[in-house]
Each structure stands twice: as C-alpha cells, then as structure tokens.
Amino acid sequence: MPFREIAGHDHLKELIARAAVRGTLPPSLIFAGPPGVGKAMVALALAQLVNCLDPRTLGPSDLSDLSDLSDLSDLSDACGECASCRRIARDVHADVLRIAPGETGSIKIEQIREAIERAAYRPFEGRGRVVIIDQAEQMGDNAQDAILKTLEEPPNASTFILVTEAPDLLVQTIRSRCQRLRFGRLSPGDVAEVLMVSHGYTEADARAAASLSDGSVGKALEEGSEDFVEARGAALHLLETVADHPPPARRITGSMGLPGATKGKADRDALGQTLRALSSILRDLGALGAQADDRALANADLRPKLERLRRAFDADRTLRAFAATDRALNALDRNASPKIVADWLAFQL
Ligand SMILES: [Zn+2]
C-alpha cells in the first residue's frame, strides 16, 4: 500500500518519501509508536517506493496536513501496481524481508542470522533491500546482539527498519545506532476512514468503533463493531437522561439502563465498554467547551447531540463526571460488582 493510501502520519511520510528519493535515508531506523497505527504499513510503503518501477508524484492532496507546503517537487510515491509493488505487497519480493515473532512470541536468533546473511549480497531483483523487523522488541538478547554489528555498518543499498511499540525494550546500543521516528495515534476520523475503506464498516459502526479506539485501528478491530454502537448508544442515553433529571428523580430510575443487572461476565464486559464510551463522550464535552473543531472530537458525528448535552454539562460537571467514570472503570477492573458500579455511577453524573 503506497504512502498516499495510508491514513495519518503525513509529516513522517513526507520525511521518509523525501529522504528515500534523495538517498539520504538513514540505513538503520526504528519506527516507534502505539500498536495498530500503521507503522509496518509505512515501512512497506517505503520498500515499495525504493523498488517501484514506475513511481508517481505525491501531491498535496495525498498529504492533507501539508497542503501549505511549497516545495513538493521531489516527493514521490510507489505506484502500487507494477510487478515490484505487487510482489512486495504479496510478501514474495526477494529484496524485501519481513521478520516477525513466531509461535513462541519471540524473534529467534536464526531468523536474524538469515536476514543478515541475505542482506550481505547486492539486491537481487530491485534497487534496494529493505529488512523490516516487526515487533522488534521481541528479539531476545542473543538476537539483539547478533544484529547490532549490521545496524552499525549496514551493507550497501540496505535499510533496516525495527518496528516496535516498546523501543525501550531494545538494548541501548541498538537504540543509539538507529534513527528513531515516532508515530503518534491516529485521529478518530482517520481510524473511521480506515475501518470503512479497508474493513467494510458502515459509517455508524466505523465512527462508534473509532471513538473508542485510542487512535489505533488495531484496537478498534480487536473489539468488534456492533458492541461499540450499542455501548456508545447506552452511554449517550445515560447522559441525556441524567441531563433531564435532577438527582431526586434519578433515585427512582436507578442505574438508568446501564448494563450490570446481573453478575455475569457478559455484563461486566458490556459495562466496561459503555464506561469507555462514556469517557470518550465526556472528553468531547470538555473539548466542546474549549471551542474545539470536529477534528479534535472522537464523536464528531454526534456533534448536535453533544451540543445539546453541553447545556446541562458545564466544565465542572463534565470534569466531575469524567473523574467518576474513571473511578467506576477502576472499580470494575478490580472486580467490583457491575451492578454496584452502575448504580453508584448513575448518582455521580
Ligand atoms: Zn510500483
């Protein structure tokens, strides 16, 4: 997948694309950042650009954050369609090596040795060799020792990319020999876009899942979509109900339809998800108070409803409700009864 089709990270993509074309890319790189934000995809896009038979220009419309940039003349991107790009996408290109933890969860020294051996020769079919080590923090000490020398003096025309969510687990000597690029979280809008375009989510499902994803497509996918819509609906309903009912009336309605009527695990999971949705909505209410635009909102698609809620939730109440929701989540994590947590929270909002 070429750079232009990868969501977010515009500045990093620009930096990498420019350096690759100019030949100034450091040969040993660490791509660090949260899981599920596209680090390995950017590494593959780089491998495609390096070896593409028919590169195209990367325009301002491909990098939305950079539209004010004046000099885009030397920004290139892989075509994504030539034989080389396709072979890399299918993971059968002789010069693009991907290493990932095996079934044991760790990267073995044999895997590293094989990559080093292959990297010692000139590229076989392409212009440059790219070795991508996924979850590089899973290299044991032996494997890290084995690759150290190669990272220090990489063979010609080779680029090593260590992809990791935990760069601090790499030994200091490796860290000091690699240039580190930091990947941030994606915006909720970017996550929703990926879910719709690449995973067939409907817009409602994508928006709901994105609002609880912490800026990670991986996390959104892990949780499944239907539950998100339900959880967010329940959270919104709760806030709308408490907004309309001052505390005495609330005593009658109890926990306001929050999941948690039984002690089952299903209820515990459902309540946890609803509480996370609640946090996300309350955070947006706080952001609305600070005049944030839609891009800063996790639940931008609910904006009219949020504006209405905002009348009942001033800054103080929003903050108190957010803190209470946080306490409720902690209690739930410590195995408190879902019913007790739900009842308690309904009176704190
Ligand atoms: Zn191509």
Side-chain angles (χ1 to χ4, degrees), residues 48-49 51-55 77-86:
Q48 284 184 318
L49 172 59
N51 290 299
C52 181
L53 305 174
D54 185 21
D77 197 5
C79 73
E81 289 153 13
C82 69
S84 173
C85 283
R86 284 208 308 270

Side-chain angles (χ1 to χ4, degrees), residues 1-6 13 16-17 42 45-46 49 58 76-78:
M1 187 182 281
F3 287 125
R4 63 186 173 281
E5 290 172 17
I6 298 174
K13 290 187 297 194
I16 295 166
V42 171
L46 168 62
L49 172 59
L58 197 57
S76 296
D77 197 5

